[in-house]
Protein backbone atom coordinates (compact mmCIF):
# COMPACT_ATOMS: atom_id res chain seq x y z
CA UNK A 1 0.00 0.00 0.00
CA UNK A 2 1.34 3.48 -0.83
CA UNK A 3 0.56 6.39 1.42
CA UNK A 4 0.33 10.07 0.47
CA UNK A 5 3.73 11.76 1.06
CA UNK A 6 2.64 13.58 4.21
CA UNK A 7 1.63 10.32 5.86
CA UNK A 8 4.72 8.34 4.88
CA UNK A 9 6.60 9.68 7.88
CA UNK A 10 4.09 8.07 10.21
CA UNK A 11 5.94 5.97 12.74
CA UNK A 12 7.83 6.23 15.96
CA UNK A 13 7.34 9.96 16.28
CA UNK A 14 3.58 9.64 15.70
CA UNK A 15 3.51 7.27 18.65
CA UNK A 16 5.63 9.54 20.82
CA UNK A 17 3.38 12.50 20.03
CA UNK A 18 0.27 10.47 20.85
CA UNK A 19 1.87 9.38 24.12
CA UNK A 20 2.55 12.98 25.12
CA UNK A 21 -0.92 14.14 24.03
CA UNK A 22 -2.77 11.38 25.86
CA UNK A 23 -0.82 11.82 29.09
CA UNK A 24 -1.31 15.60 28.79
CA UNK A 25 -5.03 15.18 28.21
CA UNK A 26 -5.38 12.88 31.21
CA UNK A 27 -3.47 15.14 33.59
CA UNK A 28 -5.03 18.40 32.38
CA UNK A 29 -8.46 16.78 32.75
CA UNK A 30 -7.88 16.26 36.48
CA UNK A 31 -6.51 19.77 36.89
CA UNK A 32 -9.58 21.11 35.05
CA UNK A 33 -11.75 19.47 37.72
CA UNK A 34 -9.85 21.25 40.47
CA UNK A 35 -9.71 24.80 39.15
CA UNK A 36 -12.51 27.34 39.53
CA UNK A 37 -11.07 30.81 38.91
CA UNK A 38 -11.55 32.13 35.35
CA UNK A 39 -7.92 32.64 34.30
CA UNK A 40 -6.39 29.30 35.36
CA UNK A 41 -9.59 27.54 34.27
CA UNK A 42 -9.41 29.06 30.79
CA UNK A 43 -5.77 28.02 30.40
CA UNK A 44 -6.35 24.49 31.65
CA UNK A 45 -9.51 23.81 29.62
CA UNK A 46 -7.80 25.27 26.55
CA UNK A 47 -4.82 22.95 27.07
CA UNK A 48 -7.18 20.02 27.65
CA UNK A 49 -9.07 20.77 24.44
CA UNK A 50 -5.86 21.13 22.45
CA UNK A 51 -4.50 17.81 23.74
CA UNK A 52 -7.77 16.13 22.72
CA UNK A 53 -7.87 17.75 19.30
CA UNK A 54 -4.22 16.87 18.80
CA UNK A 55 -5.14 13.21 19.31
CA UNK A 56 -7.86 13.55 16.65
CA UNK A 57 -5.42 15.29 14.30
CA UNK A 58 -3.00 12.34 14.55
CA UNK A 59 -5.61 9.76 13.55
CA UNK A 60 -4.50 9.61 9.87
CA UNK A 61 -0.86 9.02 10.88
CA UNK A 62 -1.69 6.49 13.58
CA UNK A 63 -3.91 4.68 11.06
CA UNK A 64 -0.86 4.25 8.83
CA UNK A 65 1.17 2.92 11.77
CA UNK A 66 -1.59 0.45 12.65
CA UNK A 67 -1.99 -0.50 8.97
CA UNK A 68 1.69 -1.52 8.88
CA UNK A 69 1.53 -3.55 12.07
CA UNK A 70 1.70 -7.31 11.66
CA UNK A 71 -0.70 -7.94 14.45
CA UNK A 72 -3.16 -5.78 16.36
CA UNK A 73 -4.15 -7.07 19.74
CA UNK A 74 -7.71 -7.02 21.07
CA UNK A 75 -6.58 -4.89 24.01
CA UNK A 76 -5.19 -2.30 21.58
CA UNK A 77 -8.47 -2.19 19.68
CA UNK A 78 -10.31 -1.77 22.96
CA UNK A 79 -7.96 1.10 23.77
CA UNK A 80 -8.95 2.76 20.48
CA UNK A 81 -12.63 2.31 21.35
CA UNK A 82 -12.12 3.76 24.85
CA UNK A 83 -10.25 6.78 23.56
CA UNK A 84 -12.89 7.26 20.86
CA UNK A 85 -15.68 7.14 23.44
CA UNK A 86 -13.76 9.55 25.66
CA UNK A 87 -13.32 12.02 22.78
CA UNK A 88 -16.98 11.63 21.80
CA UNK A 89 -18.06 12.46 25.36
CA UNK A 90 -15.88 15.55 25.33
CA UNK A 91 -17.24 16.79 22.01
CA UNK A 92 -20.84 16.15 23.03
CA UNK A 93 -20.35 18.08 26.27
CA UNK A 94 -18.82 21.05 24.46
CA UNK A 95 -21.26 21.25 21.56
CA UNK A 96 -24.50 19.75 22.89
CA UNK A 97 -24.08 20.86 26.50
CA UNK A 98 -25.12 19.05 29.66
CA UNK A 99 -27.48 16.47 28.17
CA UNK A 100 -28.32 13.02 29.38
CA UNK A 101 -28.78 10.09 27.02
CA UNK A 102 -30.14 6.87 28.54
CA UNK A 103 -29.26 8.28 31.94
CA UNK A 104 -25.63 8.85 30.98
CA UNK A 105 -24.17 12.36 30.84
CA UNK A 106 -21.31 13.29 28.50
CA UNK A 107 -18.89 13.71 31.40
CA UNK A 108 -19.72 10.27 32.74
CA UNK A 109 -18.87 8.82 29.33
CA UNK A 110 -15.78 11.04 29.07
CA UNK A 111 -14.32 10.17 32.48
CA UNK A 112 -15.54 6.57 32.47
CA UNK A 113 -13.93 5.89 29.10
CA UNK A 114 -10.72 7.62 30.18
CA UNK A 115 -10.49 5.40 33.27
CA UNK A 116 -11.06 2.30 31.13
CA UNK A 117 -8.36 3.52 28.75
CA UNK A 118 -5.71 3.97 31.47
CA UNK A 119 -4.80 0.30 32.13
CA UNK A 120 -5.06 -0.51 28.40
CA UNK A 121 -2.80 2.43 27.60
CA UNK A 122 -0.23 1.35 30.19
CA UNK A 123 -0.30 -2.20 28.81
CA UNK A 124 0.08 -0.94 25.25
CA UNK A 125 2.97 1.38 26.09
CA UNK A 126 4.80 -1.27 28.11
CA UNK A 127 4.42 -3.82 25.29
CA UNK A 128 5.77 -1.46 22.65
CA UNK A 129 8.31 0.41 24.74
CA UNK A 130 11.40 -0.96 22.98
CA UNK A 131 10.51 0.46 19.61
CA UNK A 132 9.33 3.83 20.85
CA UNK A 133 12.19 5.30 22.86
CA UNK A 134 12.75 9.02 22.28
CA UNK A 135 15.96 9.83 20.39
CA UNK A 136 18.33 12.70 20.31
CA UNK A 137 17.22 13.67 16.87
CA UNK A 138 13.67 14.27 18.12
CA UNK A 139 15.12 17.55 19.34
CA UNK A 140 16.62 18.78 16.08
CA UNK A 141 15.44 22.08 14.71
CA UNK A 142 13.61 20.32 11.94
CA UNK A 143 11.71 18.01 14.27
CA UNK A 144 10.82 20.85 16.62
CA UNK A 145 9.59 22.98 13.73
CA UNK A 146 7.42 20.14 12.55
CA UNK A 147 6.00 19.76 16.05
CA UNK A 148 5.32 23.50 16.20
CA UNK A 149 3.59 23.29 12.83
CA UNK A 150 1.40 20.47 14.09
CA UNK A 151 0.56 22.48 17.23
CA UNK A 152 -0.35 25.50 15.10
CA UNK A 153 -2.65 23.47 12.86
CA UNK A 154 -4.32 21.94 15.93
CA UNK A 155 -4.78 25.40 17.48
CA UNK A 156 -6.27 26.68 14.22
CA UNK A 157 -8.67 23.73 14.28
CA UNK A 158 -9.65 24.64 17.83
CA UNK A 159 -10.41 28.23 16.85
CA UNK A 160 -12.34 27.06 13.78
CA UNK A 161 -14.46 24.67 15.86
CA UNK A 162 -15.25 27.38 18.43
CA UNK A 163 -16.28 29.66 15.56
CA UNK A 164 -18.43 26.98 13.97
CA UNK A 165 -20.09 26.25 17.30
CA UNK A 166 -20.93 29.90 17.72
CA UNK A 167 -22.13 30.35 14.13
CA UNK A 168 -24.36 27.30 14.47
CA UNK A 169 -25.82 28.64 17.72
CA UNK A 170 -24.57 25.58 19.62
CA UNK A 171 -24.53 25.57 23.45
CA UNK A 172 -20.72 25.70 23.17
CA UNK A 173 -20.91 29.50 23.12
CA UNK A 174 -22.44 29.56 26.62
CA UNK A 175 -19.61 27.70 28.35
CA UNK A 176 -17.85 29.51 31.18
CA UNK A 177 -14.09 29.31 31.76
CA UNK A 178 -14.28 25.88 33.42
CA UNK A 179 -16.20 24.51 30.43
CA UNK A 180 -19.47 24.22 32.37
CA UNK A 181 -22.83 24.98 30.77
CA UNK A 182 -25.53 27.10 32.45
CA UNK A 183 -28.56 25.58 34.17
CA UNK A 184 -31.46 27.55 35.60
CA UNK A 185 -31.90 26.91 39.35
CA UNK A 186 -35.06 24.85 38.79
CA UNK A 187 -33.12 22.37 36.61
CA UNK A 188 -30.20 21.75 38.96
CA UNK A 189 -29.94 18.01 39.58
CA UNK A 190 -29.20 16.55 43.00
CA UNK A 191 -25.60 15.49 42.43
CA UNK A 192 -23.24 13.16 44.20
CA UNK A 193 -19.53 13.13 43.58
CA UNK A 194 -19.44 9.35 43.38
CA UNK A 195 -21.44 7.02 45.58
CA UNK A 196 -23.16 9.08 48.28
CA UNK A 197 -26.87 8.41 48.75
CA UNK A 198 -29.37 10.98 49.96
CA UNK A 199 -29.99 10.48 53.71
CA UNK A 200 -33.43 11.11 55.24
CA UNK A 201 -33.01 13.71 58.00
CA UNK A 202 -35.66 15.53 60.01
CA UNK A 203 -35.01 19.31 60.07
CA UNK A 204 -37.13 19.74 63.19
CA UNK A 205 -34.80 17.69 65.36
CA UNK A 206 -31.59 18.00 63.36
CA UNK A 207 -28.51 19.48 65.03
CA UNK A 208 -25.14 20.45 63.66
CA UNK A 209 -22.01 20.34 65.79
CA UNK A 210 -20.28 23.64 65.03
CA UNK A 211 -16.85 23.50 66.62
CA UNK A 212 -18.27 21.83 69.72
CA UNK A 213 -21.46 23.90 69.85
CA UNK A 214 -24.64 21.99 69.02
CA UNK A 215 -26.91 24.17 66.87
CA UNK A 216 -30.46 23.55 65.62
CA UNK A 217 -31.60 24.45 62.12
CA UNK A 218 -33.77 27.23 63.60
CA UNK A 219 -30.75 28.72 65.39
CA UNK A 220 -28.76 28.73 62.16
CA UNK A 221 -31.72 30.18 60.22
CA UNK A 222 -32.01 33.02 62.72
CA UNK A 223 -28.43 34.07 61.93
CA UNK A 224 -28.66 33.48 58.17
CA UNK A 225 -28.86 35.98 55.33
CA UNK A 226 -28.92 35.81 51.53
CA UNK A 227 -25.77 34.95 49.59
CA UNK A 228 -25.54 34.60 45.82
CA UNK A 229 -23.16 31.91 44.66
CA UNK A 230 -22.30 29.91 41.59
CA UNK A 231 -22.38 26.14 41.99
CA UNK A 232 -20.00 24.85 39.32
CA UNK A 233 -20.13 21.06 39.25
CA UNK A 234 -17.46 19.04 37.48
CA UNK A 235 -20.18 17.12 35.64
CA UNK A 236 -20.54 19.89 33.08
CA UNK A 237 -23.05 22.38 34.47
CA UNK A 238 -23.18 25.43 36.71
CA UNK A 239 -26.02 27.38 38.29
CA UNK A 240 -26.31 30.80 39.91
CA UNK A 241 -28.52 30.54 42.97
CA UNK A 242 -29.29 32.54 46.08
CA UNK A 243 -28.86 30.73 49.35
CA UNK A 244 -29.92 31.60 52.87
CA UNK A 245 -26.79 30.96 54.88
CA UNK A 246 -24.58 31.84 57.85
CA UNK A 247 -20.94 32.75 57.32
CA UNK A 248 -18.78 30.32 59.25
CA UNK A 249 -16.46 32.94 60.74
CA UNK A 250 -19.50 34.39 62.52
CA UNK A 251 -20.17 31.20 64.46
CA UNK A 252 -16.81 29.46 64.60
CA UNK A 253 -14.40 30.91 67.17
CA UNK A 254 -11.29 32.33 65.51
CA UNK A 255 -8.79 30.23 67.39
CA UNK A 256 -5.37 29.00 66.41
CA UNK A 257 -6.72 26.23 64.18
CA UNK A 258 -4.98 25.51 60.89
CA UNK A 259 -7.98 24.10 59.08
CA UNK A 260 -11.72 23.71 59.19
CA UNK A 261 -13.11 20.29 58.41
CA UNK A 262 -16.71 20.06 57.25
CA UNK A 263 -18.15 16.57 57.66
CA UNK A 264 -21.36 15.16 56.20
CA UNK A 265 -23.61 12.63 57.96
CA UNK A 266 -22.54 10.31 55.11
CA UNK A 267 -18.86 10.61 56.07
CA UNK A 268 -18.05 12.74 53.00
CA UNK A 269 -15.79 15.55 54.17
CA UNK A 270 -13.56 18.39 52.98
CA UNK A 271 -10.80 20.32 54.69
CA UNK A 272 -10.42 24.11 54.23
CA UNK A 273 -7.70 26.53 55.37
CA UNK A 274 -8.97 28.28 58.53
CA UNK A 275 -8.25 31.63 56.85
CA UNK A 276 -11.08 30.83 54.44
CA UNK A 277 -13.76 30.84 57.16
CA UNK A 278 -15.30 34.01 55.72
CA UNK A 279 -15.89 32.24 52.40
CA UNK A 280 -17.64 29.21 53.92
CA UNK A 281 -21.39 29.38 54.43
CA UNK A 282 -23.78 27.01 56.18
CA UNK A 283 -27.00 27.15 54.14
CA UNK A 284 -30.48 26.21 55.32
CA UNK A 285 -32.51 27.43 52.32
CA UNK A 286 -32.19 28.12 48.60
CA UNK A 287 -34.11 30.53 46.40
CA UNK A 288 -36.22 31.39 49.43
CA UNK A 289 -37.32 27.81 50.06
CA UNK A 290 -36.25 25.13 52.48
CA UNK A 291 -33.58 22.83 51.04
CA UNK A 292 -34.71 19.63 49.39
CA UNK A 293 -33.25 16.38 50.72
CA UNK A 294 -31.25 15.72 47.55
CA UNK A 295 -29.75 19.17 47.67
CA UNK A 296 -28.36 18.90 51.16
CA UNK A 297 -31.21 19.40 53.66
CA UNK A 298 -31.27 20.35 56.44
CA UNK A 299 -27.82 22.06 56.31
CA UNK A 300 -25.28 22.19 53.50
CA UNK A 301 -22.10 24.07 52.79
CA UNK A 302 -21.94 26.82 50.15
CA UNK A 303 -18.46 27.85 49.01
CA UNK A 304 -18.43 30.66 46.45
CA UNK A 305 -15.29 30.36 44.34
CA UNK A 306 -14.79 26.62 44.80
CA UNK A 307 -16.04 23.79 42.59
CA UNK A 308 -19.16 21.83 43.55
CA UNK A 309 -17.40 18.92 45.24
CA UNK A 310 -16.37 21.27 48.07
CA UNK A 311 -20.01 22.12 48.85
CA UNK A 312 -20.53 19.39 51.47
CA UNK A 313 -24.19 18.39 51.78
CA UNK A 314 -26.01 17.15 54.91
CA UNK A 315 -23.44 18.77 57.19
CA UNK A 316 -23.18 17.00 60.54
CA UNK A 317 -20.12 18.67 61.97
CA UNK A 318 -17.73 21.58 61.53
CA UNK A 319 -14.39 20.81 63.18
CA UNK A 320 -11.31 22.89 63.85
CA UNK A 321 -8.27 20.75 63.12
CA UNK A 322 -4.50 21.08 63.21
CA UNK A 323 -3.76 19.32 59.91
CA UNK A 324 -3.10 21.55 56.91
CA UNK A 325 -5.78 21.56 54.18
CA UNK A 326 -3.38 20.31 51.51
CA UNK A 327 -3.07 17.09 53.48
CA UNK A 328 -6.15 15.51 51.93
CA UNK A 329 -7.02 13.74 48.74
CA UNK A 330 -7.43 16.42 46.04
CA UNK A 331 -10.82 14.88 45.23
CA UNK A 332 -13.34 13.15 47.50
CA UNK A 333 -13.18 9.35 47.58
CA UNK A 334 -16.88 8.60 47.96
N1 LIG B 1 -22.14 14.67 51.31
C1 LIG B 1 -21.94 14.97 50.01
N2 LIG B 1 -21.87 16.26 49.64
C2 LIG B 1 -21.68 16.59 48.34
C3 LIG B 1 -21.52 15.59 47.34
C4 LIG B 1 -21.58 14.24 47.76
O1 LIG B 1 -21.45 13.28 46.96
N3 LIG B 1 -21.78 13.97 49.10
N4 LIG B 1 -21.33 15.95 46.03
C5 LIG B 1 -20.77 17.27 45.79
C6 LIG B 1 -20.83 17.66 44.39
S1 LIG B 1 -19.78 16.87 43.34
C7 LIG B 1 -21.59 18.71 43.96
S2 LIG B 1 -21.49 19.29 42.39
C8 LIG B 1 -22.60 19.33 44.83
C9 LIG B 1 -23.94 19.21 44.17
O2 LIG B 1 -24.91 19.88 44.88
P1 LIG B 1 -26.44 19.73 44.49
O3 LIG B 1 -26.82 18.28 44.67
O4 LIG B 1 -27.16 20.66 45.38
O5 LIG B 1 -26.58 20.10 43.03
O6 LIG B 1 -22.65 18.73 46.10
C10 LIG B 1 -21.41 18.35 46.65
N5 LIG B 1 -21.61 17.91 48.01
MO1 LIG C 1 -20.06 17.85 41.25
Amino acid sequence: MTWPPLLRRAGRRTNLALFVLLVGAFLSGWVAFAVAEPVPATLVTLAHGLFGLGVVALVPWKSVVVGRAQQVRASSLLLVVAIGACLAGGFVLVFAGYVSVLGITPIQLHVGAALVAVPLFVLHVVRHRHRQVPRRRDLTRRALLRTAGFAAVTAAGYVALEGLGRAAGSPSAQRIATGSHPLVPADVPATSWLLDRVPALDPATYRVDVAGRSMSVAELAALAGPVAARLDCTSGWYADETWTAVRLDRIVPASGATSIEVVSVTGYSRLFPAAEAAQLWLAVAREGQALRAGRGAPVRLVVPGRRGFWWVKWVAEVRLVGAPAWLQSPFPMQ
Side-chain angles (χ1 to χ4, degrees), residues 248 257-263 268-277 279-281 301-304 306-312 318-321 323-326 328:
L248 261 193
T258 315
S259 307
I260 298 174
E261 187 176 24
V262 181
V263 189
Y268 185 104
S269 79
R270 292 271 88 195
L271 204 55
F272 303 85
E276 253 181 60
Q279 277 95 259
L280 304 176
W281 302 75
L301 196 65
V302 166
V303 197
R306 279 194 188 249
R307 297 297 287 271
F309 65 85
W310 294 94
W311 298 38
V312 180
V318 176
R319 274 206 294 250
L320 295 173
V321 295
W326 52 262
Q328 72 185 318

Side-chain angles (χ1 to χ4, degrees), residues 203-204 206 215-224 284:
Y206 195 73
M215 297 183 77
S216 69
V217 179
E219 280 175 287
L220 287 168
L223 298 168
V284 292

Side-chain angles (χ1 to χ4, degrees), residues 29-245:
W30 285 113
V31 178
F33 267 11
V35 292
E37 297 299 314
V39 173
T42 304
L43 294 175
V44 175
T45 50
L46 182 69
H48 190 61
L50 288 172
F51 284 130
L53 265 192
V55 171
V56 176
L58 280 178
V59 166
W61 283 269
K62 184 66 182 179
S63 306
V64 172
V65 174
V66 175
R68 283 196 207 119
Q70 294 175 346
Q71 169 207 30
V72 178
R73 287 173 207 267
S75 63
S76 301
L77 284 179
L78 202 57
L79 175 58
V80 172
V81 172
I83 292 172
C86 181
L87 285 164
F91 278 100
V92 170
L93 179 64
V94 169
F95 293 105
Y98 177 75
V99 289
S100 160
V101 179
L102 301 173
I104 296 180
T105 65
I107 276 280
Q108 283 171 335
L109 176 64
H110 188 65
V111 176
L115 294 179
V116 169
V118 169
L120 298 168
F121 176 78
V122 171
L123 193 67
H124 188 78
V125 168
V126 168
R127 271 199 185 126
H128 296 86
R129 67 191 179 282
H130 305 297
R131 275 177 281 156
Q132 312 302 339
V133 277
R135 294 182 192 156
R136 238 266 174 78
R137 61 184 159 78
D138 294 336
L139 292 176
T140 59
R141 227 169 92 95
R142 199 131 173 257
L144 291 179
L145 276 177
R146 220 178 273 137
T147 306
F150 173 75
V153 169
T154 305
Y158 189 104
V159 173
L161 279 176
E162 286 285 4
L164 272 177
R166 248 159 240 269
S170 124
S172 66
Q174 291 166 25
R175 268 137 76 227
I176 55 169
T178 55
S180 298
H181 294 260
L183 282 186
V184 293
D187 289 347
V188 174
T191 302
S192 278
W193 172 256
L194 213 53
L195 303 166
D196 251 6
R197 299 253 204 90
V198 178
L201 305 166
D202 179 5
T205 55
Y206 195 73
R207 300 191 80 84
V208 185
D209 179 335
V210 184
R213 170 175 163 207
S214 169
M215 297 183 77
S216 69
V217 179
E219 280 175 287
L220 287 168
L223 298 168
V227 54
R230 172 167 290 180
L231 173 50
D232 186 353
C233 177
T234 51
S235 51
W237 57 267
Y238 75 89
D240 292 321
E241 296 169 296
T242 303
W243 303 83
T244 307

